[in-house]
Amino acid sequence: MARFNSPFCLDLDDAGNLYVADSLNRLTNKSFVLLWTIEPLFKQIRRHMAPTSKDGGQHSSRWKRCVIEGAGLDAISSSSPAPVSPPCPTSADFWRAVPAAAQWRSALGSQSQLAAVLLNTRGFADDANLKKTVLYDLHVAHGGKMVPFAGWSMPIQYSDSIMDSTTHCRTNASIFDVSHMCGLTLKGKNAVEFMESLVVGDIQSLKDGTGSLSVFTNEKGGIIDDTVVTKLNGEELYIVVNAGCREKDLAHIGKHLAAFQAKGKDCSLIVHDDRSLLALQGPAAAEVAQAMTSVDLSKMYFSNFKTMELSGIPVWVTRTGVPSDKAVALCEALLANKKVKMSGLGPRDSLRLEAGLCLYGNDLNEDITPVEAGLAWTIGKRRREAFDFLGGDKQLADGVSKRRVGFLSTGAPARQNSEIQDMDGNVIGEITSGAFSPNLKKNVAMGYVEKAFAKAGTQVKVVVRGKKNDATVTKMPFVPTPYYKIESG
């Protein structure tokens, strides 16, 4: 994406999402960019809206007031020839024009640091400095709205809305390009032993061709990153780590690997920057893939791994993703099926939240342990008894004072950093992720509360832009996830 030209437009919708486009004309063409890296600014931005006229139920023009604390910047939106369909279902009345970048920076005065953050985060950065996956041109050809994400240019959505794309994935199949994530291989006679020194999972007990979610921990028991570990065989492991944690993960692994090798242990690390990673997700995913291979996919269960060909393209396939060095051809072959659409970061985040899955940096960090995060199930029984991983004694012996739980709430959706209070107004926790669920048509969120308030059904309040909304602690996932598993008996 090129740098934004003057004038450009911003929108903060009722759900707390900030959008930007480089001209009013682009807004009418539904060309949006979501800037969600600046969540702390939501507390500093207040908006008051009042339509000046209505025509047949549609607003023909709107006045908007945007107050950024310390600046008092006012702006007026232009009339639009047709109603604009917002990317967020809770944003029915929106859009305001904002002065050109230089004027805005001047208007903000003492808030120049705030302006710099807005002008230099997602949507304002030059695309030339971003890494691109091999599917970049395909994304653009399919109408992908490209945004900076963890140093990569990635699609947040395509021509359909985030809401429609999310519901499509729940009923058909969607392709997600997750090639920005970092794929690694550990090889050697002591590869399993080394991996178990860094993660909490029982990798030794995994059968060949199976995998499991696990987490890297630090000496305090905090989560450095979450990862999926696949055991190809007793001497080879395939690992995927988050793009945003790549550098610190590689540094962490490298430091411990050097010490491990210095003891005469046999283990080496390979970083797969030459591969792509695709996720084909949805109830029609297996049907679509089955038409492209002679391998019986009905015998592949959740977390299973196999090498095969899809439409003649050699790939590694698991129930969690598809790595291939011929990603464009594979993606085009998948898209030949009318049940398949491409999907971006926006729907991906909605889907993971509906499934109650954590996002590192929001719901997990180095000060949160797996037990607090509700991930104690990732710690194998043998590992619990041995405490033979970093911070094991801190995680299990010391107990926890807080828990990650789910919420259903009223009012505007609760977002990261929204305060959680008990019914007497005492602060008991904080929201870490939240949104309007396109499939449930209601607000969902997750966050951490004091252990005494973690029971499902507990009534609490969540504070959203100064207003206390009712919320109920709810079991996750919010939308059931039918993992394809071997039936017992």
Side-chain angles (χ1 to χ4, degrees):
M1 178 183 301
R3 185 178 298 278
F4 278 91
N5 298 315
S6 171
F8 63 90
C9 307
L10 290 174
D11 172 60
L12 179 70
D13 71 14
D14 291 336
N17 295 313
L18 186 62
Y19 298 87
V20 64
D22 64 353
S23 70
L24 288 175
N25 183 55
R26 285 189 63 187
L27 300 185
T28 61
N29 293 328
K30 302 183 182 180
S31 188
F32 320 109
V33 176
L34 172 61
L35 310 180
W36 68 96
T37 53
I38 49 179
E39 189 88 27
L41 297 180
F42 296 160
K43 291 185 176 180
Q44 296 176 282
I45 299 176
R46 302 192 305 270
R47 185 183 64 170
H48 306 282
M49 303 186 306
T52 57
S53 64
K54 294 185 178 182
D55 182 13
Q58 301 291 343
H59 301 313
S60 59
S61 63
R62 303 170 178 82
W63 290 74
K64 307 282 190 275
R65 177 177 175 82
C66 171
V67 181
I68 301 177
E69 292 182 2
L73 175 66
D74 290 352
I76 302 173
S77 71
S78 69
S79 298
S80 174
V84 179
S85 299
C88 178
T90 59
S91 179
D93 300 314
F94 72 124
W95 296 121
R96 60 187 172 282
V98 178
Q103 296 173 302
W104 188 31
R105 190 186 297 274
S106 174
L108 287 171
S110 62
Q111 298 292 316
S112 59
Q113 184 175 6
L114 173 61
V117 172
L118 283 168
L119 293 171
N120 292 309
T121 43
R122 289 193 177 93
F124 298 96
D126 195 328
D127 202 45
N129 296 322
L130 299 173
K131 291 181 283 188
K132 299 177 176 65
T133 73
V134 297
L135 291 177
Y136 176 85
D137 290 339
L138 190 65
H139 292 313
V140 174
H142 281 264
K145 278 76 173 178
M146 309 304 291
V147 300
F149 182 79
W152 294 78
S153 181
M154 300 296 294
I156 186 170
Q157 68 180 101
Y158 293 85
S159 57
D160 50 354
S161 69
I162 291 176
M163 187 171 183
D164 288 342
S165 186
T166 303
T167 55
H168 173 85
C169 188
R170 291 285 183 190
T171 55
N172 289 279
S174 298
I175 300 173
F176 297 86
D177 180 10
V178 288
S179 303
H180 60 300
M181 300 182 76
C182 183
L184 313 168
T185 290
L186 286 174
K187 280 188 174 183
K189 294 180 180 178
N190 303 117
V192 171
E193 178 187 350
F194 174 68
M195 193 64 189
E196 287 196 346
S197 71
L198 301 182
V199 300
V200 304
D202 187 353
I203 310 304
Q204 179 180 306
S205 297
L206 288 175
K207 294 180 179 179
D208 290 357
T210 65
S212 177
L213 175 71
S214 195
V215 295
F216 292 96
T217 52
N218 58 29
E219 287 76 4
K220 300 182 299 181
I223 299 172
I224 295 175
D225 196 7
D226 55 331
T227 182
V228 174
V229 182
T230 300
K231 186 178 181 182
L232 279 64
N233 54 62
E235 297 186 7
E236 187 173 0
L237 303 174
Y238 178 67
I239 307 145
V240 178
V241 300
N242 286 302
C245 297
R246 174 192 169 108
E247 298 308 321
K248 75 168 182 176
D249 286 353
L250 290 178
H252 177 72
I253 294 170
K255 180 183 74 171
H256 287 277
L257 181 58
F260 191 74
Q261 292 171 333
K263 298 176 182 177
K265 300 289 188 176
D266 178 24
C267 183
S268 61
L269 174 68
I270 302 170
V271 181
H272 296 295
D273 286 335
D274 58 337
R275 292 184 181 175
S276 295
L277 185 63
L278 305 180
L280 179 63
Q281 183 175 333
E287 173 192 340
V288 171
Q290 185 62 80
M292 302 166 66
T293 184
S294 60
V295 176
D296 186 357
L297 298 183
S298 69
K299 298 296 192 294
M300 274 194 74
Y301 301 99
F302 179 68
S303 83
N304 283 183
F305 163 89
K306 284 184 181 293
T307 58
M308 65 180 70
E309 289 189 356
L310 293 178
S311 291
I313 300 170
V315 294
W316 288 7
V317 177
T318 74
R319 282 281 175 176
T320 54
V322 183
S324 170
D325 59 356
K326 297 183 179 179
V328 174
L330 177 57
C331 197
E332 290 176 337
L334 290 167
L335 288 169
N337 191 306
K338 296 186 181 299
K339 294 183 178 181
V340 180
K341 288 185 177 182
M342 298 189 75
S343 197
L345 295 169
R348 181 171 171 236
D349 193 57
S350 296
L351 290 161
R352 73 94 190 166
L353 182 55
E354 289 180 340
L357 301 177
C358 296
L359 174 64
Y360 194 88
N362 281 42
D363 315 299
L364 305 176
N365 60 49
E366 295 196 34
D367 295 317
I368 295 173
T369 70
V371 178
E372 292 172 330
L375 299 175
W377 59 270
T378 65
I379 308 174
K381 181 180 179 181
R382 177 176 61 83
R383 310 303 306 281
R384 290 169 184 257
E385 295 171 349
F387 286 128
D388 57 348
F389 51 88
L390 291 174
D393 55 336
K394 298 293 183 184
Q395 294 180 45
L396 301 175
D398 294 353
V400 298
S401 60
K402 62 182 179 181
R403 295 278 189 179
R404 179 177 65 94
V405 296
F407 299 93
L408 296 178
S409 66
T410 61
R415 299 287 174 170
Q416 185 183 27
N417 299 322
S418 294
E419 199 173 80
I420 305 170
Q421 299 180 356
D422 65 16
M423 301 306 286
D424 295 322
N426 302 305
V427 178
I428 58 170
E430 187 176 81
I431 295 295
T432 54
S433 289
F436 177 83
S437 165
N439 288 286
L440 295 179
K441 305 296 188 292
K442 60 181 66 173
N443 301 332
V444 298
M446 66 174 76
Y448 288 84
V449 295
E450 295 175 11
K451 189 175 179 180
F453 297 89
K455 185 177 180 181
T458 301
Q459 301 297 308
V460 297
K461 298 284 187 179
V462 291
V463 183
V464 182
R465 299 197 292 280
K467 183 177 181 179
K468 295 183 180 182
N469 297 328
D470 293 330
T472 304
V473 175
T474 307
K475 290 183 178 180
M476 296 184 284
F478 301 106
V479 177
T481 304
Y483 295 116
Y484 187 65
K485 298 181 179 181
I486 300 174
E487 295 183 4
S488 59

